[in-house]
Amino acid sequence: MDDPYHNNVTQQVTEGGEYTYTQGGEGQDGYPYQADYPPQDEDARSDATEGADDDEQMYEGEYQGVPHPDEIKEARRAARTEARRKARQAAQQEEEEDNLPEQYEAIMEDCGHGRFQWMLFFVLGLALMADGVDGFVVGFVLPSAEKDMCISNSDKGMLGLLVYVAMMVGALVWGGLCDKMGRRKCLIYVLTIDLVFSFLSCFAQGYGFFLFFRFCSGFGIGGSIPIVYTYFTEFLQMDKRGEHLSWLCMFWMLGGLYASFTAWGIIPHYGWGFAIGTELQIHSWRLFILVCLFPALAALVGVIFMPESPRFLLESARHDEAWMVLRQVHDTNWKAKGEPERVFTATNIKTPQTQEDEFIEIQSDTGTAFQRWTVRHMTMLQQVMANIMSLSAPELRLQGLFLVIVWFCLAFSYHGLGVWFPDMIKYMQYEEYESKVKVFHRERVERFHFNFSLVNQIHREGEYIHDKFANIEINSVKFEDSLFENCYFEDVKSTNTFFENCTIKNTVFYNTGIMQH
């Protein structure tokens, strides 16, 4: 049944978009009836919805710390984008690293092999020669130094041990540093350390200081071998490396020959020493150490004028410096070959897109130069130690153990025997001397002219009065508790001659090798 009341309700839309209803039929007057509620004022809104946007709904988990689903999707999308970017960058870097050796070989072939490589060959050869000399110094010095420093047999063994331990540690440390600082710079440091501490060891009067200086010298020169071979290799073409590296090894043998000949020509002349004041005594074996510094000094001067390895510069993303070095090599070689017009064609060298160096630089205004230097070098040492510790990785343990065994055998059989042989030869000479020595006891010689040489003799409690020793040689002679009164020594060459607890009265020594003390 229809409701007449509802049939007379008319729906109208106002200008504001609001619906109003009017009671009554069409054409009848009625009172307006508004069905919806009037719009509320702002002050009448609920406190629960205050501050909320009308178009946005409040996420119910916001106050519970639960991320919004849209935020999770956005984070996942960003992570996937970053992973794809890193994968593309890693693939590009790997491809560029694979291409770097090939293009570097092509550039070195364009540079050629000539005057530059030969200059570097002789400079690095002198550095390798300095290492060879340093390996023989201790063995030649010990027999003479043990008397001046009163070194016992255990102390001699400690000296030989610590020097070679220092060389081993130096090879590990400097081998890692040259990959961070550069071949040329590390080689300069190595040679400088060896020169400074070897020079100081020439004047060390005590065994402790001498041991410390030789240890520091060994730590420096121990790093020369890995640096020299790496440095020279990076300037050679592939077909030249084996041949020229073998030739470079020749300088190590020349260092041994240099040390042997200088020891043979200097150490036996005990009278070549001199005194500086009353405390500092410079004997012939100290002069021998001083002469052994010449190869290291010449190598240091030569390395200063050599450029850095271009391969190291490329791997360090120093493209412009590497290009200048390669052009220098190219121009030096082709000018020497009579083709100065030849142009260096390498204009674009693709280098790996390496990340910024891990050194932490203090760029703020509060950072001082000393702070930047400290942070940079401490970080570099941490990287080097990390590289050294990486040798203990499982895949490298077997190779490392094998190399350690090989190195120990070579060092023990070569350097160890080099230290042991001089002492053994000295013992054999002593045994021969003891078997042939002549002993004179309580002899009295008066107004006698000794015109013959005295060799391998011991004179105990003798008396020599108004005697003359002229134009003779006294070799391995010892006078014990003897009296020399009104005697005259002239033009006497003495070797290993000692006066122990002797009384010397009115005796003249003129032009002799006998030291006054």
Side-chain angles (χ1 to χ4, degrees):
M1 179 175 180
D2 295 335
D3 188 353
Y5 177 81
H6 288 282
N7 291 333
N8 293 328
V9 176
T10 303
Q11 180 179 354
Q12 296 181 356
V13 180
T14 64
E15 294 180 357
E18 300 176 352
Y19 294 92
T20 60
Y21 296 87
T22 305
Q23 182 177 3
E26 183 178 354
Q28 293 180 355
D29 296 335
Y31 296 98
Y33 176 75
Q34 188 170 353
D36 60 342
Y37 294 97
Q40 297 178 352
D41 296 336
E42 293 181 0
D43 295 338
R45 294 183 180 182
S46 173
D47 294 338
T49 60
E50 184 177 359
D53 196 353
D54 294 339
D55 297 333
E56 296 181 359
Q57 296 293 331
M58 178 67 67
Y59 175 57
E60 61 182 1
E62 180 176 357
Y63 292 109
Q64 300 176 3
V66 180
H68 196 278
D70 294 339
E71 295 179 358
I72 297 176
K73 293 180 181 179
E74 185 65 25
R76 290 177 179 176
R77 189 181 303 111
R80 288 194 296 268
T81 304
E82 181 67 17
R84 286 194 295 268
R85 187 189 66 82
K86 289 183 178 181
R88 287 195 300 268
Q89 183 179 358
Q92 182 181 1
Q93 181 177 350
E94 183 178 358
E95 181 181 359
E96 290 175 350
E97 289 179 352
D98 293 340
N99 293 333
L100 179 59
E102 298 179 1
Q103 65 174 337
Y104 189 78
E105 291 297 334
I107 294 173
M108 291 309 302
E109 290 179 1
D110 183 42
C111 293
H113 187 279
R115 175 180 293 179
F116 182 88
Q117 279 80 6
W118 285 113
M119 291 190 301
L120 186 65
F121 174 77
F122 285 106
V123 170
L124 298 182
L126 289 173
L128 199 60
M129 182 177 175
D131 182 86
V133 170
D134 224 56
F136 286 91
V137 165
V138 175
F140 288 119
V141 161
L142 278 179
S144 300
E146 64 176 340
K147 293 185 295 185
D148 294 340
M149 296 185 178
C150 300
I151 302 177
S152 63
N153 291 330
S154 60
D155 291 338
K156 288 191 295 183
M158 182 62 67
L159 178 61
L161 172 66
L162 288 183
V163 168
Y164 292 109
V165 168
M167 288 184 177
M168 180 185 69
V169 175
L172 287 173
V173 173
W174 290 110
L177 285 176
C178 74
D179 290 333
K180 300 296 181 182
M181 301 172 58
R183 319 327 186 187
R184 174 180 172 272
K185 183 183 293 186
C186 284
L187 189 56
I188 291 176
Y189 289 161
V190 161
L191 295 173
T192 302
I193 292 174
D194 177 53
L195 281 171
V196 170
F197 287 101
S198 294
F199 180 78
L200 293 176
S201 68
C202 298
F203 303 95
Q205 298 297 304
Y207 171 73
F209 281 106
F210 183 78
L211 180 65
F212 173 75
F213 291 145
R214 295 311 305 179
F215 178 85
C216 295
S217 174
F219 173 77
I221 202 62
S224 63
I225 291 182
I227 298 176
V228 162
Y229 286 117
T230 304
Y231 192 17
F232 190 51
T233 300
E234 293 174 348
F235 280 97
L236 293 175
Q237 306 173 28
M238 184 178 296
D239 57 342
K240 300 285 186 181
R241 287 175 189 164
E243 178 183 5
H244 286 78
L245 288 178
S246 298
W247 291 353
L248 189 63
C249 296
M250 173 184 64
F251 282 91
W252 202 92
M253 314 306 172
L254 291 178
L257 292 176
Y258 177 83
S260 301
F261 279 107
T262 52
W264 173 70
I266 296 176
I267 293 179
H269 299 279
Y270 198 79
W272 284 12
F274 58 92
I276 302 177
T278 58
E279 299 293 335
L280 194 58
Q281 302 291 332
I282 306 299
H283 296 148
S284 58
W285 63 269
R286 300 181 186 273
L287 297 178
F288 163 70
I289 297 178
L290 194 62
V291 172
C292 288
L293 298 180
F294 291 161
L297 181 61
L300 178 61
V301 174
V303 172
I304 291 176
F305 293 97
M306 291 290 108
E308 183 57 86
S309 166
R311 180 64 181 270
F312 167 76
L313 295 175
L314 288 175
E315 292 179 350
S316 302
R318 296 158 64 179
H319 176 276
D320 295 337
E321 297 179 47
W323 188 86
M324 293 297 294
V325 173
L326 291 170
R327 182 178 178 180
Q328 177 185 352
V329 176
H330 176 275
D331 294 345
T332 302
N333 289 337
W334 291 110
K335 285 181 181 179
K337 295 179 181 180
E339 300 183 28
E341 69 281 355
R342 189 155 181 169
V343 181
F344 183 51
T345 58
T347 58
N348 186 19
I349 305 175
K350 295 182 179 180
T351 57
Q353 298 294 327
T354 58
Q355 297 179 354
E356 288 294 325
D357 208 72
E358 297 181 13
F359 298 147
I360 303 174
E361 293 287 352
I362 301 177
Q363 300 294 343
S364 61
D365 297 335
T366 58
T368 62
F370 177 75
Q371 288 175 320
R372 290 193 294 270
W373 183 90
T374 303
V375 172
R376 181 164 54 247
H377 286 77
M378 290 301 296
T379 307
M380 180 178 61
L381 289 177
Q382 292 176 2
Q383 292 176 346
V384 172
M385 295 306 298
N387 292 338
I388 294 175
M389 295 304 296
S390 65
L391 296 177
S392 61
E395 63 273 9
L396 297 177
R397 286 177 182 173
L398 185 60
Q399 298 179 3
L401 180 62
F402 176 74
L403 292 176
V404 167
I405 294 175
V406 171
W407 181 89
F408 176 80
C409 295
L410 289 176
F412 180 78
S413 61
Y414 190 82
H415 296 285
L417 293 178
V419 176
W420 177 68
F421 273 151
D423 198 60
M424 190 63 188
I425 293 173
K426 177 188 173 184
Y427 176 76
M428 295 172 62
Q429 291 175 342
Y430 179 77
E431 290 291 325
E432 183 180 4
Y433 166 75
E434 288 291 331
S435 63
K436 297 182 179 180
V437 67
K438 297 180 181 180
V439 181
F440 299 88
H441 188 66
R442 291 185 178 181
E443 62 176 354
R444 180 182 176 88
V445 181
E446 188 174 356
R447 300 184 184 277
F448 184 78
H449 182 196
F450 287 88
N451 55 4
F452 52 89
S453 297
L454 305 179
V455 181
N456 291 352
Q457 297 179 5
I458 297 178
H459 299 265
R460 296 192 178 100
E461 299 180 5
E463 296 181 2
Y464 304 91
I465 302 173
H466 294 285
D467 294 328
K468 183 177 182 181
F469 301 82
N471 298 317
I472 63 173
E473 180 179 354
I474 304 178
N475 186 12
S476 299
V477 177
K478 182 185 293 186
F479 296 94
E480 299 178 355
D481 302 315
S482 299
L483 171 64
F484 292 87
E485 185 176 356
N486 296 321
C487 295
Y488 184 76
F489 290 81
E490 181 180 3
D491 295 331
V492 177
K493 296 180 180 180
S494 65
T495 303
N496 199 23
T497 301
F498 299 95
F499 295 81
E500 295 183 0
N501 299 325
C502 294
T503 302
I504 301 176
K505 296 181 179 180
N506 300 326
T507 299
V508 178
F509 295 88
Y510 176 75
N511 193 24
T512 66
I514 302 175
M515 300 297 292
Q516 182 177 1
H517 63 277

